[in-house]
Amino acid sequence: MDTVERWHQAGGSHRDGLATLGMGTEIRIPKIGMSATEMTLTEWMFGDGEDVAKGDVIYTLETDKTTVEIEAQADGTLCILGADGEIYPVGALVGTIE
């Protein structure tokens, strides 16, 4: 399943050039440090469709200087949109928690 199909399964739609999601919590690449503009999503700790709890480490990011664990900000079911090993800009949508 490609990213667009996952986006639509997560309730994503496009209207007037704006992307919107259903009632889920967006998982975006956070800004880490002053100079990092993109990061590698190194590994998802849960699989697509698995339940997560607020505070669970759900994925790791790597920059040229550090590796960071990212925690879930809500309870729910994980919908993965971004792939392990891919480089993403800060702010990129890589998943949702429904």
Side-chain angles (χ1 to χ4, degrees):
M1 179 179 305
D2 69 15
T3 302
V4 173
E5 288 173 310
R6 289 174 192 251
W7 170 261
H8 289 291
Q9 279 190 343
S13 65
H14 297 276
R15 191 188 77 213
D16 302 327
L18 299 175
T20 61
L21 277 176
M23 298 301 292
T25 300
E26 294 180 344
I27 302 169
R28 294 189 175 271
I29 300 293
K31 178 141 181 78
I32 299 172
M34 297 299 289
S35 62
T37 58
E38 60 184 22
M39 288 161 239
T40 301
L41 192 161
T42 51
E43 180 182 12
W44 286 99
M45 303 305 190
F46 292 83
D48 191 43
E50 288 190 303
D51 289 336
V52 298
K54 185 175 182 175
D56 285 347
V57 174
I58 54 173
Y59 69 99
T60 56
L61 289 175
E62 188 174 279
T63 68
D64 58 342
K65 297 179 182 179
T66 190
T67 299
V68 179
E69 295 180 334
I70 305 299
E71 296 180 354
Q73 298 302 304
D75 296 336
T77 302
L78 179 64
C79 179
I80 295 175
L81 302 173
D84 290 354
E86 293 293 321
I87 297 172
Y88 294 97
V90 169
L93 180 67
V94 294
T96 62
I97 299 173
E98 299 297 323

